[in-house]
Amino acid sequence: MPPSQADKAHLLRSLHQGTELLRLLNVWDVASARAVASRPGTTAIATASAAIAAVHGHEDGEQIPLDLHLAAVRRICAAVSLPVTADLERGYGDVGATIEAAVDAGAVGANLEDAMAPCEAFARDIREAVAAGASTAVPLFVNARTDVYLAAEALDEDERRTEAMARGLAYLEAGADCVFVPGLVDEASIRELAAAFGPGRLSLLARPGLPTAPRLQELGVARLSHGPALLHHAMAAIADYDR
């Protein structure tokens, strides 16, 4: 018997608490999802909103219509037996409804980003997302993303770490299961945030300058995502293709 959606949700949650770093290659359609799922050692699938938008001819940043975005998520979830966590950007203006629709599409995890909105406002969004997930029969895993390291370039490392820590702790208090801090590469800051958030609660984005995966595991990082990098590699392969 194939695993139920609730079974997949429990598996996704347990993967963040395991002894090994959860590595996620982000997909955008059925073909990419099946290709990633077939890789040895793959335990879960994540979508990338930028990649889904791009293959439909839209820019990132909620420019793709939500129904089109969720249709892609639904096809991905139906194509693989692994748990799927969906990148839902800022929640498309109605976080609760978007979460419920994503669960209906088959997702068992959700990534929501603060886009540097006021901390209190995004914490309310997280509470709404958690409540929406609780209203279903699926124990949704909520990954709260803060864009401090992507948007606050004028701040120094200490200031960015302090802001990211304050936001992350607020989002965890609001009910988030994990905090995603894309752009963070400094080892000392990674160690501090991982310790402050607790085991299984820090997620990072793969990028140049980041410590190796084994080192991230030692530092207490739970999850490493690759964003739209896989799509970029595919497009580069097409550009370089020579029969």
Side-chain angles (χ1 to χ4, degrees):
M1 172 182 280
S4 68
Q5 192 175 1
D7 291 336
K8 294 178 184 179
H10 287 298
L11 173 58
L12 180 64
R13 187 172 300 276
S14 71
L15 290 170
H16 289 78
Q17 299 292 335
T19 58
E20 294 186 10
L21 178 71
L22 173 58
R23 302 186 66 173
L24 296 172
L25 293 178
N26 302 70
V27 306
W28 56 91
D29 63 5
V30 168
S32 60
R34 286 177 172 167
V36 169
S38 70
R39 288 170 54 90
T42 299
T43 53
I45 299 288
T47 69
S49 64
I52 289 177
V55 300
H56 288 89
H58 295 277
E59 296 294 324
D60 195 21
E62 299 188 353
Q63 297 303 301
I64 181 174
L66 178 57
D67 59 347
L68 188 57
H69 185 161
L70 290 175
V73 172
R74 184 179 297 277
R75 288 193 295 272
I76 290 167
C77 292
V80 297
S81 60
L82 297 174
V84 176
T85 178
D87 180 358
L88 301 174
E89 302 200 53
R90 296 185 301 277
Y92 281 83
D94 188 338
V95 174
T98 298
I99 289 294
E100 290 178 3
V103 172
D104 182 69
V108 298
N111 189 81
L112 294 168
E113 61 196 58
D114 65 8
M116 293 305 289
C119 181
E120 298 80 3
F122 189 66
R124 287 195 297 271
D125 288 343
I126 293 299
R127 284 192 287 271
E128 185 176 347
V130 171
S135 71
T136 72
V138 178
L140 186 77
F141 190 93
V142 177
N143 190 37
R145 167 178 149 176
T146 178
D147 289 335
V148 170
Y149 276 83
L150 299 179
E153 295 180 355
L155 302 180
D156 64 25
E157 181 64 31
D158 288 344
E159 291 170 324
R160 287 188 292 179
R161 180 178 63 248
T162 298
E163 179 69 13
M165 185 178 297
R167 285 175 175 264
L169 291 172
Y171 303 159
L172 292 170
E173 177 67 23
D177 297 292
C178 195
V179 179
F180 184 27
V181 191
L184 171 60
V185 297
D186 179 77
E187 184 168 309
S189 294
I190 292 170
R191 182 188 297 108
E192 286 196 34
L193 290 178
F197 295 162
R201 292 194 159 193
L202 177 60
S203 172
L204 297 179
L205 177 69
R207 61 182 296 165
L210 193 70
T212 64
R215 182 57 180 154
L216 292 176
Q217 187 171 311
E218 291 174 356
L219 293 170
V221 177
R223 168 171 165 170
L224 181 65
S225 300
H226 290 258
L230 201 61
L231 176 63
H232 295 164
H233 282 296
M235 295 301 99
I238 291 172
D240 292 339
Y241 180 70
D242 185 358
R243 291 184 298 174

